[in-house]
Amino acid sequence: MSENHSRFDLEDVEVIEKTSLYSGFFKLNRYTFRHKLFAGGWSEGITRELLERGSAVALLPYDPKRDKVVLIEQFRIGALDSPYSPWLLEVVAGIMDHDETPEELARREAEEEAGLTLGRCDRVMSYLVSPGGTSERIDVYVGETDSDAVVEGVFGLPHEGEDIRVQVVDRQTAYEWLQQGRVENATAVIALQWLQLNYQELQARWQE
């Protein structure tokens, strides 16, 4: 693809109709739209249902001195058909539904879900979860923690239906679990892969 290729943007999409189908914990809307085509001209009208979940923040707690990560484990209804278990290994995460910055949310969720107080906290990336069917975007962070101070046990907010177990594992062990297929949560996969590629640079930066 040539460097001077111009991307389409929002001006190249026309929303013809938007209909609310459901509004609860999530929102489900039906869109009818058309968009410009790579070959020129416009598409015919297309209809799609979209799960409107909004934005979320995920955090991988990491101890650079001991080279360990903190993972959480909890039940997920979407994993009922998993070949392993509907209890998934994950990173800390939360939906942006308060008047907070993403980093503030990451720090609060670390306390609620794992009993952690973070040191330095760096933004890693932002990605769309499954843009063919949902608007959800996740900002991924890595947060400095002292793994020796972590209390392994059960955390979460019972009134929100949370029952979360905390585990401290070596970074390499967590990555081996990923390679073995034991880590099925997409955000955890992305965060652990990023750490495996960047842990040496991160260790050096956080020791400055």
Side-chain angles (χ1 to χ4, degrees), residues 8 35-44:
F8 292 142
H35 61 76
K36 284 186 178 178
L37 301 171
F38 290 121
W42 287 78
S43 70
E44 298 294 326

Side-chain angles (χ1 to χ4, degrees), residues 42-107:
W42 287 78
S43 70
E44 298 294 326
I46 302 169
T47 299
R48 294 286 187 271
E49 287 75 38
L50 185 69
L51 185 66
E52 308 272 13
R53 182 164 175 168
S55 299
V57 172
L59 169 86
L60 175 60
Y62 177 60
D63 183 339
K65 294 180 179 179
R66 299 168 184 84
D67 199 22
K68 293 185 176 183
V69 299
V70 180
L71 298 177
I72 62 174
E73 183 181 4
Q74 61 183 317
F75 173 82
R76 292 299 194 187
I77 186 65
L80 280 178
D81 293 331
S82 167
Y84 301 100
S85 169
W87 275 262
L88 300 183
L89 288 168
E90 302 181 344
V91 296
V92 168
I95 298 174
M96 291 287 296
D97 59 358
H98 293 80
D99 186 20
E100 297 172 296
T101 67
E103 182 177 331
E104 288 170 344
L105 175 59
R107 291 180 180 277

Side-chain angles (χ1 to χ4, degrees), residues 4-168:
N4 63 357
H5 173 74
S6 60
R7 293 183 55 186
F8 292 142
D9 57 29
L10 284 176
E11 293 183 356
D12 302 306
V13 180
E14 178 188 359
V15 175
I16 300 168
E17 185 179 18
K18 176 183 175 182
T19 304
S20 175
L21 301 178
Y22 175 78
S23 181
F25 186 70
F26 301 125
K27 293 180 174 62
L28 182 65
N29 293 320
R30 178 186 292 126
Y31 286 83
T32 300
F33 60 94
R34 65 179 192 139
H35 61 76
K36 284 186 178 178
L37 301 171
F38 290 121
W42 287 78
S43 70
E44 298 294 326
I46 302 169
T47 299
R48 294 286 187 271
E49 287 75 38
L50 185 69
L51 185 66
E52 308 272 13
R53 182 164 175 168
S55 299
V57 172
L59 169 86
L60 175 60
Y62 177 60
D63 183 339
K65 294 180 179 179
R66 299 168 184 84
D67 199 22
K68 293 185 176 183
V69 299
V70 180
L71 298 177
I72 62 174
E73 183 181 4
Q74 61 183 317
F75 173 82
R76 292 299 194 187
I77 186 65
L80 280 178
D81 293 331
S82 167
Y84 301 100
S85 169
W87 275 262
L88 300 183
L89 288 168
E90 302 181 344
V91 296
V92 168
I95 298 174
M96 291 287 296
D97 59 358
H98 293 80
D99 186 20
E100 297 172 296
T101 67
E103 182 177 331
E104 288 170 344
L105 175 59
R107 291 180 180 277
R108 178 171 63 81
E109 290 291 344
E111 174 66 31
E112 292 178 0
E113 295 190 347
L116 301 177
T117 299
L118 301 178
R120 284 164 285 199
C121 190
D122 292 350
R123 184 177 181 272
V124 170
M125 68 179 69
S126 177
Y127 76 96
L128 291 165
V129 175
S130 182
T134 177
S135 62
E136 183 178 13
R137 176 181 289 277
I138 295 183
D139 285 336
V140 181
Y141 284 76
V142 59
E144 182 184 28
T145 191
D146 178 358
S147 59
D148 277 358
V150 175
V151 178
E152 296 190 59
V154 179
F155 293 86
L157 302 178
H159 69 273
E160 293 186 2
E162 294 180 336
D163 180 54
I164 299 169
R165 184 169 69 171
V166 171
Q167 300 185 49
V168 178

